[in-house]
Amino acid sequence: MARAADVGRSTLHRYFPDRDELVSATYEDSLAEIGRAMEEARLHEGPALEAVRRMIAAHIEVGDRVVFAFGDPALSRAHDTGEEPDEPEEIVALFARGQEEGALDTNVEPEWFVHVMWALVFTGLDLVHTGRISRHDLVPRILRTFERGALVR
């Protein structure tokens, strides 16, 4: 972490005396960055399908933060206050809006789309991390896969 931040280990320890405090601060910072990306995606603007596309692109933009914050169930559980629902309400509402607008399949619950989206995002980020696909190709690939399975035909 010190190397990534381009500071000495002693400097890092001055701000974060132990590993738990460093992980906690990094987790909170990651959530803030993900929140910023979601705000910039403007989920409430325009047709739901366009907002879904922006949301997926935003998650990929902060992909390292997404993987850090949600990729390890133990980390998520350690920071779970019980106040947040399992799936963010604004994301569930976005998929429900897509169903109401007639763009998304109504034969499944909106939460299903949330889980499918996360599966595609995490799988894609893993493939980028292991060098099997380029980050540049990731958003179009996820959107193509999602839309071919979720849109009304």
Side-chain angles (χ1 to χ4, degrees), residues 69-92:
F70 303 117
D72 180 358
L75 182 62
S76 296
R77 276 193 305 274
H79 291 87
D80 183 11
T81 61
E83 296 172 12
E84 297 288 324
D86 288 341
E87 300 302 335
E89 292 176 18
E90 68 179 339
I91 295 176
V92 174

Side-chain angles (χ1 to χ4, degrees), residues 16-119:
F16 304 102
D18 63 36
R19 181 184 185 283
D20 289 342
E21 286 188 38
L22 175 61
V23 169
S24 216
T26 305
Y27 180 80
E28 293 301 323
D29 187 61
S30 293
L31 292 182
E33 280 299 304
I34 294 166
R36 179 201 53 77
M38 290 301 94
E39 285 178 24
E40 289 179 6
R42 305 173 328 277
L43 301 187
H44 302 290
E45 291 181 21
L49 186 55
E50 289 300 317
V52 167
R53 291 173 180 149
R54 290 191 304 269
M55 175 183 61
I56 289 171
H59 278 110
I60 298 308
E61 176 189 326
V62 292
D64 293 340
R65 303 295 191 119
V66 169
V67 170
F68 176 77
F70 303 117
D72 180 358
L75 182 62
S76 296
R77 276 193 305 274
H79 291 87
D80 183 11
T81 61
E83 296 172 12
E84 297 288 324
D86 288 341
E87 300 302 335
E89 292 176 18
E90 68 179 339
I91 295 176
V92 174
L94 174 58
F95 286 115
R97 183 163 58 97
Q99 290 175 313
E100 291 165 8
E101 291 176 4
L104 297 178
D105 186 352
T106 57
N107 292 315
V108 297
E109 304 78 18
E111 292 82 3
W112 173 257
F113 292 125
V114 177
H115 288 277
V116 168
M117 178 200 68
W118 284 130

Side-chain angles (χ1 to χ4, degrees), residues 90-150:
E90 68 179 339
I91 295 176
V92 174
L94 174 58
F95 286 115
R97 183 163 58 97
Q99 290 175 313
E100 291 165 8
E101 291 176 4
L104 297 178
D105 186 352
T106 57
N107 292 315
V108 297
E109 304 78 18
E111 292 82 3
W112 173 257
F113 292 125
V114 177
H115 288 277
V116 168
M117 178 200 68
W118 284 130
L120 291 170
V121 166
F122 275 95
T123 299
L125 289 168
D126 182 58
L127 291 172
V128 167
H129 178 72
T130 58
R132 295 187 289 194
I133 64 173
S134 75
R135 190 181 269 294
H136 176 73
D137 187 41
L138 186 53
V139 171
R141 189 178 290 213
I142 289 172
L143 292 176
R144 192 170 51 248
T145 303
F146 180 79
E147 290 178 10
R148 288 183 180 169

